[in-house]
Amino acid sequence: MKKHIILTLLGIGSFNFAQEIKSSTVQDSVQLTKDIQEVLIKAQQKKQFVDKAVYSFDEEALKKARYANDLLQTLPELQFDPISSSISSIKGGKFLLLINGVESTELQARGIRPENVIRVEYYDNPPTRWANRADTVVNIITRNPEVGFAAGASVTTALTTGFVNGQAYANYTNGRNNLGLEYTINLRDYDNRVTNRIYDYTLQSSHYNTNENKTDHFGYTYQDIALRYTNSLPDNYVFQAKFSMNIYNDFSKGNGQSIFSKDNITEQHGTSQYSGKKYNPPKLDLYFSKKLGKKDEISFNIVGSAYTSKSFEVDKEWVISSGNIVFDNDMNLNAKQKSTVGEVAYTHDFKAGKLSTGYRIDNNNVNNTLENLAGNFDFSINYLTQYLYSEFAGKNKKLMYRLGLGLTNINNKTATTTDDDWTITPKIILGYELKKNQSLRLTSSYTPYSPGSASLSPNINQVVPNIVSTGNPYLTIQKAWNNNLNYSYSNKFFDFNANIFYNYIDNAINSIYVLYNNDTQYALTYENTQFSSRTGIQLTGSVRPFGNRLLVIKANIYPTMQSVKTNSGALLKNNYFGNNFTISSEYKNLSMTYMFNIPVYTLSGAFLNTNENQNHIFVNYKLKDWTFTTGMYWLGMPSRYKTKTLDESLVSYSGVTNIYNNKNMFILGIGYDFAKGKKNEVNRKLYNDPAPATTF
């Protein structure tokens, strides 16, 4: 408790000379990029800053777009993901969307007319406020708000299988008051997923091999409902209350056959599997911000959630000739979670630059109750994270810089262990403008990360005969040192980024097979390795051969070397050539996009996994307030996922899963959006989120 109080006092005491980073970002872009605003209507332009690129849009782009979301797709490192019906980064990773500095959704962005967009800020080095939540942050800056109403809906569906993406939203503004309602649904229902799994190992001097082929029916439904109320007076205060629910459930039910071998004895086994999970966490988000003069502002944010997630698995395996049961798994997991996040920040503008400071505390309590044939298990974990941060950003002639220093406390407490770690977390970003359209940037940061609930829990989960999975309650904090050297070049025809990266994680958490239960079984568990590292170069950007949107080629190529040194001293290595490409064309109201990649194996714990294959083509046609979509996903192939263990693993495993339902999947979509007046956007400085649901 003493440490909590000390950190709180430190955070409040630093308010006399500091500024919160999200405010710094928004205000910095407003005050230091006036040259961008002056050329908005004349030409499309990009200006590179130390941590972000700022894009403006020409008249042609504004006329072709129906709403702000369409403008995002013109950015060289963003694209429309047809599977989720959302904007994503071609580099992958977590994507966060802001509107005037406020955590927002794409549905909110659909309520903004293109002509009301001043510019878009693209952060490939998110400021401290968002660095732990997203790999890419995009902030849409809009014109002065006016009262009005905006609403819309869209749906995309396959004709021959269970694939539905639907969205609906409405926003109403009257004076200082704004009321918004949003609904999103993603539904999948596939009955032709085919999986082959092979386990091969030696146990107590006997050699075992299992080769299973299974076909299952699986699906999921994800629904997101949000209701928000905002009361704001520009340049004075903002109050926002938001209530949301993320309703999720999934299922999988299948049957298969397995060839089970022990030494020279082979048996034909039958298998069945039934599993599912569901949760619907409610979340209340309260936010208040108050201006204290022209250069100062204080902001408060508190987020709370309490719910129970439920998971179950029923697996059986038997000898076909005799009916004897050789594997029986009947398991239920209830995880009760309570999460609270609180943050306070104070901002101040200096003539020489921006200084920001803040204090955030995040507490997540998880109580797991597991029942299976091996017995009943109860395991509780309390995660407490405190973060005190300050950051200064400025510019001296052609040198741009952002210097940050934080103090992070991670306290993970279970019935058997307590891990209490204090870490100084510095971050430095240096940028130098080589020429008007070229820049060089260096980024270095040090950040601690906590192990997840599943990796800490000692609950035992039966996988197949002779193999279980379990967590490790003695895991400690892992700490990452990330370094990037980035070169950027842009003109009318090219937008190019070359990034040399080196990431080193001390005490990296890694999954591993070990002997278990007096050497009578194997367990897939976790350990803190000596280190893991990633080194490589990432080339991203777009080419516009005609200098417009008639033809655009986007590419992301990232040759990478991975290595992990285990506790036993074994050095695991993997090299891959990551890639994905997008070719698009726009002519008047018609647009066409083709996306493809070549899947590669990446190292993830004890396994090498391939990324999801892409081979999609889709077409959009816009007619006034309507949008019509058609396309075909996974042309000539099912979606395919491959997994295998490294040669050093005690258990040799390989698995291939094909979803044949979405092979050559033909889709149709329709959308309608309209707006009367303009939305009242809120310049919110803080946003937090509670911990995700805990499942197996």
Side-chain angles (χ1 to χ4, degrees):
M1 176 59 79
K2 271 188 168 181
K3 294 177 179 177
H4 304 171
I5 296 173
I6 290 171
L7 273 182
T8 304
L9 293 175
L10 285 173
I12 295 174
S14 61
F15 292 159
N16 294 323
F17 60 89
Q19 172 186 343
E20 196 276 327
I21 187 60
K22 187 174 282 190
S23 172
S24 167
T25 303
V26 174
Q27 293 180 7
D28 175 63
S29 60
V30 172
Q31 297 175 7
L32 300 182
T33 60
K34 291 181 179 179
D35 57 321
I36 296 293
Q37 299 183 40
E38 294 170 357
V39 296
L40 286 180
I41 307 301
K42 297 179 181 179
Q44 188 170 15
Q45 191 181 64
K46 172 187 176 182
K47 188 171 181 63
Q48 184 67 57
F49 290 84
V50 66
D51 56 355
K52 66 178 180 287
V54 178
Y55 292 89
S56 61
F57 303 94
D58 56 21
E59 290 186 50
E60 182 183 2
L62 295 175
K63 288 180 180 179
K64 285 185 176 181
R66 286 185 50 233
Y67 38 73
N69 280 30
D70 292 340
L71 295 176
L72 296 183
Q73 298 179 50
T74 67
L75 271 62
E77 294 185 348
L78 296 182
Q79 64 185 6
F80 178 76
D81 179 5
I83 308 305
S84 62
S85 292
S86 62
I87 301 294
S88 63
S89 170
I90 63 174
K91 297 189 297 184
K94 295 181 180 180
F95 175 78
L96 180 63
L97 179 64
L98 313 173
I99 298 175
N100 291 333
V102 183
E103 168 84 8
S104 304
T105 65
E106 292 182 43
L107 290 179
Q108 289 177 253
R110 282 176 59 172
I112 302 175
R113 293 177 176 177
E115 60 268 25
N116 293 334
V117 176
I118 296 176
R119 63 187 176 275
V120 171
E121 300 172 341
Y122 174 89
Y123 291 88
D124 54 0
N125 285 300
T128 303
R129 277 289 301 114
W130 309 308
N132 293 333
R133 298 190 55 240
D135 302 288
T136 300
V137 174
V138 172
N139 188 22
I140 303 174
I141 305 297
T142 66
R143 298 185 185 280
N144 293 333
E146 296 180 6
V147 299
F149 180 76
S154 64
V155 63
T156 301
T157 182
L159 300 183
T160 58
T161 191
F163 178 96
V164 177
N165 289 332
Q167 300 172 323
Y169 68 94
N171 290 286
Y172 176 70
T173 301
N174 186 359
R176 299 181 184 181
N177 304 293
N178 174 269
L179 191 64
L181 178 65
E182 300 171 14
Y183 175 73
T184 300
I185 182 171
N186 298 102
L187 183 147
R188 305 291 184 266
D189 193 335
Y190 296 147
D191 60 4
N192 192 12
R193 180 171 67 173
V194 178
T195 301
N196 172 253
R197 299 190 302 171
I198 300 175
Y199 288 91
D200 191 273
Y201 54 90
T202 298
L203 186 64
Q204 293 185 327
S205 301
S206 293
H207 176 255
Y208 292 86
N209 183 277
T210 297
N211 191 329
E212 179 192 20
N213 288 289
K214 180 184 67 175
T215 300
D216 70 339
H217 178 197
F218 86 100
Y220 66 84
T221 303
Y222 175 81
Q223 301 175 82
D224 193 352
I225 304 171
L227 175 66
R228 70 181 182 281
Y229 167 75
T230 305
N231 184 293
S232 63
L233 182 63
D235 297 320
N236 191 332
Y237 72 89
V238 173
F239 170 75
Q240 186 177 76
K242 181 178 179 181
F243 177 78
S244 62
M245 291 192 69
N246 307 115
I247 305 171
Y248 178 85
N249 64 79
D250 67 26
F251 71 92
S252 174
K253 192 171 186 177
N255 296 284
Q257 289 192 346
S258 172
I259 301 175
F260 180 82
S261 299
K262 178 181 178 181
D263 296 328
N264 296 322
I265 301 174
T266 299
E267 297 176 336
Q268 293 286 337
H269 289 184
T271 63
S272 67
Q273 169 265 329
Y274 183 33
S275 65
K277 58 178 172 284
K278 62 180 180 179
Y279 49 83
N280 54 346
K283 182 175 66 175
L284 181 62
D285 184 345
L286 301 176
Y287 171 82
F288 179 75
S289 179
K290 174 67 176 176
K291 288 278 189 180
L292 305 174
K294 294 183 178 180
K295 296 183 178 182
D296 303 276
E297 186 173 6
I298 190 167
S299 303
F300 302 91
N301 182 215
I302 185 167
V303 183
S305 182
Y307 62 99
T308 300
S309 57
K310 299 181 179 181
S311 310
F312 72 90
E313 290 182 4
V314 179
D315 300 289
K316 292 185 183 296
E317 184 169 336
W318 63 93
V319 180
I320 294 178
S321 60
S322 64
N324 293 333
I325 300 294
V326 296
F327 177 73
D328 196 353
N329 177 35
D330 189 348
M331 180 169 53
N332 290 274
L333 172 67
N334 289 336
K336 295 182 179 180
Q337 295 184 237
K338 295 180 180 179
S339 300
T340 305
V341 184
E343 185 165 5
V344 59
Y346 184 86
T347 71
H348 181 80
D349 292 345
F350 289 99
K351 186 176 180 180
K354 307 284 182 176
L355 185 64
S356 64
T357 193
Y359 170 73
R360 182 173 67 241
I361 183 169
D362 182 347
N363 191 79
N364 180 36
N365 182 269
V366 183
N367 184 13
N368 296 285
T369 302
L370 180 69
E371 299 178 0
N372 61 21
L373 298 180
N376 298 335
F377 305 90
D378 291 314
F379 185 72
S380 295
I381 309 173
N382 191 82
Y383 298 91
L384 176 66
T385 302
Q386 300 178 90
Y387 183 39
L388 177 67
Y389 57 89
S390 291
E391 194 167 58
F392 186 84
K395 183 178 181 181
N396 185 4
K397 296 181 180 180
K398 291 187 176 183
L399 178 66
M400 301 172 287
Y401 56 89
R402 200 178 91 202
L403 307 175
L405 185 64
L407 179 64
T408 302
N409 170 235
I410 297 178
N411 184 290
N412 298 332
K413 186 176 182 180
T414 70
T416 56
T417 63
T418 297
D419 189 8
D420 189 40
D421 181 89
W422 293 80
T423 305
I424 295 176
T425 54
K427 184 170 186 177
I428 180 172
I429 304 179
L430 300 175
Y432 188 79
E433 188 176 355
L434 301 174
K435 292 182 179 180
K436 187 176 181 180
N437 59 349
Q438 298 182 58
S439 65
L440 193 65
R441 292 176 293 153
L442 174 67
T443 304
S444 183
S445 64
Y446 188 72
T447 309
Y449 294 97
S450 178
S453 175
S455 57
L456 281 174
S457 171
N459 294 343
I460 301 170
N461 178 20
Q462 300 184 65
V463 181
V464 292
N466 299 326
I467 298 177
V468 300
S469 66
T470 184
N472 179 2
Y474 299 99
L475 291 175
T476 59
I477 308 300
Q478 54 184 350
K479 299 177 181 180
W481 182 38
N482 298 320
N483 302 275
N484 296 270
L485 180 62
N486 184 279
Y487 168 77
S488 300
Y489 172 77
S490 63
N491 60 23
K492 182 179 180 180
F493 302 97
F494 299 96
D495 195 305
F496 173 75
N497 288 278
N499 180 44
I500 300 174
F501 59 88
Y502 173 69
N503 304 325
Y504 179 93
I505 302 179
D506 189 33
N507 289 329
I509 296 172
N510 210 51
S511 59
I512 185 174
Y513 280 106
V514 298
L515 285 167
Y516 185 73
N517 195 17
N518 297 321
D519 296 347
T520 61
Q521 293 177 307
Y522 281 108
L524 178 62
T525 187
Y526 300 88
E527 71 169 6
N528 284 107
T529 63
Q530 296 186 40
F531 70 85
S532 71
S533 67
R534 291 176 66 251
T535 307
I537 183 169
Q538 187 168 41
L539 308 175
T540 61
S542 66
V543 179
R544 300 178 293 274
F546 306 106
N548 54 31
R549 302 287 300 169
L550 183 62
L551 177 62
V552 180
I553 302 170
K554 295 183 180 182
N556 178 32
I557 302 171
Y558 47 105
T560 305
M561 297 181 293
Q562 293 177 287
S563 64
V564 175
K565 191 169 186 180
T566 67
N567 263 336
S568 64
L571 186 61
L572 313 178
K573 293 184 177 182
N574 178 57
N575 301 329
Y576 63 91
F577 195 90
N579 64 92
N580 54 279
F581 306 91
T582 301
I583 302 173
S584 62
S585 177
E586 290 185 12
Y587 180 73
K588 295 184 177 180
N589 294 332
L590 184 67
S591 64
M592 178 181 296
T593 303
Y594 174 60
M595 304 170 62
F596 70 97
N597 70 355
I598 301 173
V600 295
Y601 280 103
T602 58
L603 181 61
S604 177
F607 303 97
L608 291 167
N609 302 311
T610 59
N611 52 319
E612 185 177 77
N613 53 318
Q614 294 182 354
N615 195 30
H616 317 312
I617 186 169
F618 52 98
V619 179
N620 287 294
Y621 181 75
K622 299 171 183 177
L623 180 64
K624 295 184 179 179
D625 292 332
W626 295 88
T627 300
F628 302 93
T629 303
T630 188
M632 188 171 288
Y633 301 160
W634 289 286
L635 287 164
M637 64 182 70
S639 57
R640 179 174 293 120
Y641 313 89
K642 297 181 179 180
T643 301
K644 63 181 180 181
T645 51
L646 297 163
D647 293 339
E648 293 84 354
S649 177
L650 294 177
V651 175
S652 175
Y653 171 81
S654 65
V656 180
T657 297
N658 293 290
I659 304 176
Y660 289 99
N661 293 88
N662 51 32
K663 179 180 179 181
N664 296 323
M665 185 171 67
F666 181 72
I667 61 100
L668 289 175
I670 186 171
Y672 179 74
D673 299 86
F674 74 94
K676 183 179 180 181
K678 304 173 187 177
K679 276 183 58 180
N680 186 16
E681 301 298 341
V682 177
N683 188 10
R684 172 174 168 172
K685 307 301 185 298
L686 299 177
Y687 185 89
N688 291 286
D689 212 10
T694 298
T695 57
F696 288 122

